[in-house]
Amino acid sequence: MNSKQKSDIHIIVVGAATVGIGFAGLATAIECHLQGLSVAIYERFPELKPLGDIISFGKNAGRIFAHWGSVVDRMLPLSIHLEDYGFRIHKYTGEHIHTQASVPLDKRAPTINGHRGELHEILFNYARDELGIPIHLGCDVTGYFESSSGAGIELSTGEKVYGDAVIGSDGVHSKARAFVLGSEMKLQSSGYAIYRAWFSSEKILADPLTKHLCENGDTFNGWIGPDVHFLVSSLKGGKDVCWVLTHKDDSQIDDRWSFPGKLADVYKILKDWDPICNRIVSKTPESSLIDWKLLWQDPLSTWVSKEGRIVLAGDSAHAFLPTSTQGATQALEDGVTIAVCLKRAGKSRVAEAMRAFEKIRYDRVCKVQETGKTTRDKWHKASWDNVKRDPKSIELPREDWILDHDAEKHVQRECDYIFGSSGRERVRGESRI
């Protein structure tokens, strides 16, 4: 993959290697490089650690991955494959209600579901080793600054780094967000939390009551009850198991939202549920269990700083609930949009490019963000009489307006209106492959 003709625009990206969640920063850096911009990443963690558990990328993300060289070929072997299995949905008492068919695999726009740390590592290595993007680890960013002609960051060492714009993709506790908004923003509890675990399937396979979840390859099952849902996957041909239990939680949110989980607390939630659910939990090493508080962030008033040189992307700008299945995907769409806006605007109009990014993305992101609530409520408040009449009503939504979106074609069209179509770059699919 060759990048476009080099530009003299230099972009600083903050955050891209945070234990498997820095997808906004990586996507922005990769896309800026492929658009011919100069870009460098600064990350506070001293080394990449492929931690975490399952993450979902919709077709709209797969469409982006498919244009990054051989990235998809590396991701697919690590992704869950459900073409012949689907998503089997159960009532919490055990009845199998419906099997939702899987989307056929399309390598031009694949759905990717796998271990977040492993998938993140593929992108990290692609950015650093194949594209040669400078990634500075162990750099704690303590401040941001800008003027009408540039922007930069200050590190804990006192060093200042200068560029034309800074992309703050430093997560839900973003320091860049405080700079953009002019004040700290208190994070809100969503009123829910999840217990999550990822572990080897060895004990699952050894039990006659649970081995069917892994012995024939990848599977995906869900149990839905009042204000609770339990999702269980086997991956890598049934070698690994991952489960997520979403439940009500009234904990106060402070600087931490991730804690070691206790199996005893999980059993309390699943009391009177299908015995197979408790059987799965009993095979789970407690050391793998995480208690993850789900944060909610109302739409921000802006993602762009006063001078237009510092912009927020990914969770810094918009935190998603897991039930949207779109958080990381929308972060990728951010990266594509930022890069194209900067390329089309040029060095003399960097601030205009950042404001164009916000204009193009804001309404779509807010609408997709809301689906996290609507999907959760659809399950947690399900009328089982209605579901019996129409089993498809309990399916995980897959909306065309979300999944069929082509981020680069969309931003190119919008930039034609904003910056004019003269000298317009061809879209990625026509020019890079």
Side-chain angles (χ1 to χ4, degrees):
M1 298 289 291
N2 295 318
S3 60
K4 295 176 183 291
Q5 183 178 357
K6 286 295 181 183
S7 163
D8 57 357
I9 301 174
H10 180 61
I11 303 301
I12 298 168
V13 173
V14 178
T18 307
V19 291
I21 59 175
F23 291 100
L26 278 177
T28 302
I30 290 169
E31 285 290 330
C32 282
H33 176 89
L34 294 177
Q35 289 290 340
L37 312 181
S38 169
V39 61
I41 295 171
Y42 290 81
E43 165 60 48
R44 70 185 179 93
F45 276 83
E47 61 180 329
L48 179 67
K49 295 182 179 181
L51 305 178
D53 47 61
I54 198 162
I55 192 169
S56 298
F57 292 98
K59 290 197 305 178
N60 43 328
R63 193 170 286 110
I64 296 169
F65 289 145
H67 295 287
W68 291 355
S70 59
V71 162
V72 165
D73 291 332
R74 298 173 204 171
M75 286 182 157
L76 283 176
L78 301 178
S79 179
I80 189 169
H81 295 283
L82 299 170
E83 289 82 3
D84 298 325
Y85 193 89
F87 174 32
R88 299 186 184 179
I89 305 171
H90 308 75
K91 189 176 179 181
Y92 69 100
T93 48
E95 300 94 321
H96 175 226
I97 303 298
H98 178 61
T99 295
Q100 182 175 355
S102 294
V103 177
L105 175 64
D106 178 358
K107 290 188 70 172
R108 298 168 300 177
T111 298
I112 303 282
N113 297 295
H115 190 284
R116 65 178 61 237
E118 294 174 350
L119 297 178
H120 181 276
E121 189 172 25
I122 289 172
L123 298 185
F124 183 92
N125 292 337
Y126 172 66
R128 183 188 62 183
D129 300 337
E130 293 188 40
L131 300 184
I133 295 172
I135 300 179
H136 305 280
L137 301 177
C139 294
D140 188 11
V141 176
T142 57
Y144 294 78
F145 56 88
E146 68 174 345
S147 68
S148 60
S149 59
I153 55 175
E154 184 170 355
L155 307 180
S156 58
T157 59
E159 178 187 357
K160 291 186 176 181
V161 183
Y162 298 85
D164 292 296
V166 177
I167 313 303
S169 54
D170 48 344
V172 292
H173 288 294
S174 170
K175 293 178 182 176
R177 183 172 59 226
F179 181 90
V180 167
L181 298 179
S183 63
E184 294 284 348
M185 189 195 75
K186 185 174 177 59
L187 294 167
Q188 307 169 49
S189 169
S190 68
Y192 286 82
I194 58 178
Y195 288 105
R196 56 198 311 164
W198 183 295
F199 53 97
S200 167
S201 66
E202 183 178 352
K203 289 185 177 180
I204 296 284
L205 284 166
D207 188 332
L209 295 180
T210 57
K211 68 177 184 178
H212 66 278
L213 296 170
C214 300
E215 64 182 346
N216 295 312
D218 295 348
T219 61
F220 184 25
N221 286 270
W223 286 260
I224 296 171
D227 277 327
V228 179
H229 66 269
F230 183 53
L231 304 178
V232 182
S233 303
S234 64
L235 306 91
K236 300 180 183 176
K239 293 180 180 178
D240 287 353
V241 175
C242 174
W243 61 257
V244 176
L245 176 67
T246 302
H247 62 98
K248 282 273 195 180
D249 186 276
D250 56 5
S251 301
Q252 295 298 309
I253 299 298
D254 53 22
D255 289 339
R256 291 185 63 197
W257 67 96
S258 178
F259 306 88
K262 297 179 180 178
L263 290 174
D265 294 331
V266 176
Y267 288 127
K268 290 177 185 177
I269 296 170
L270 295 178
K271 182 182 178 183
D272 300 325
W273 275 50
D274 184 354
I276 192 70
C277 297
N278 286 280
R279 199 83 171 194
I280 293 166
V281 172
S282 73
K283 313 300 179 187
T284 305
E286 192 162 68
S287 60
S288 74
L289 185 63
I290 300 297
D291 178 4
W292 186 277
K293 310 304 182 185
L294 296 180
L295 307 179
W296 177 257
Q297 175 183 290
D298 288 329
L300 303 182
S301 57
T302 183
W303 301 343
V304 183
S305 61
K306 182 178 179 181
E307 296 289 346
R309 296 280 177 162
I310 297 176
V311 66
L312 307 176
D315 282 350
S316 304
H318 43 74
F320 277 69
L321 296 176
T323 36
S324 72
T325 69
Q326 277 284 310
T329 298
Q330 292 303 306
L332 264 64
E333 289 188 5
D334 283 352
V336 171
T337 307
I338 289 169
V340 173
C341 285
L342 285 165
K343 178 67 174 181
R344 294 290 300 276
K347 189 177 178 70
S348 64
R349 295 188 291 178
V350 168
E352 291 178 55
M354 297 294 89
R355 295 187 178 105
F357 155 69
E358 180 183 61
K359 179 180 178 65
I360 293 167
R361 292 284 298 144
Y362 191 87
D363 287 346
R364 173 172 168 80
V365 166
C366 290
K367 286 177 65 178
V368 179
Q369 193 179 28
E370 279 294 321
T371 65
K373 288 182 176 180
T374 56
T375 297
R376 180 196 67 202
D377 292 345
K378 168 183 175 176
W379 283 352
H380 288 190
K381 303 180 188 304
S383 165
W384 293 106
D385 288 338
N386 291 341
V387 172
K388 186 175 181 180
R389 288 190 291 269
D390 179 15
K392 285 193 172 185
S393 67
I394 202 68
E395 290 187 345
L396 177 65
R398 295 183 181 130
E399 301 184 66
D400 291 344
W401 69 271
I402 298 176
L403 299 177
D404 290 345
H405 185 75
D406 187 317
E408 185 168 356
K409 285 185 177 179
H410 179 69
V411 63
Q412 293 283 15
R413 285 194 299 267
E414 293 298 311
C415 283
D416 284 348
Y417 290 106
I418 297 169
F419 302 118
S421 59
S422 176
R424 177 183 181 274
E425 299 288 332
R426 289 182 297 169
V427 298
R428 178 195 290 121
E430 298 171 330
S431 61
R432 294 190 194 167
I433 300 295

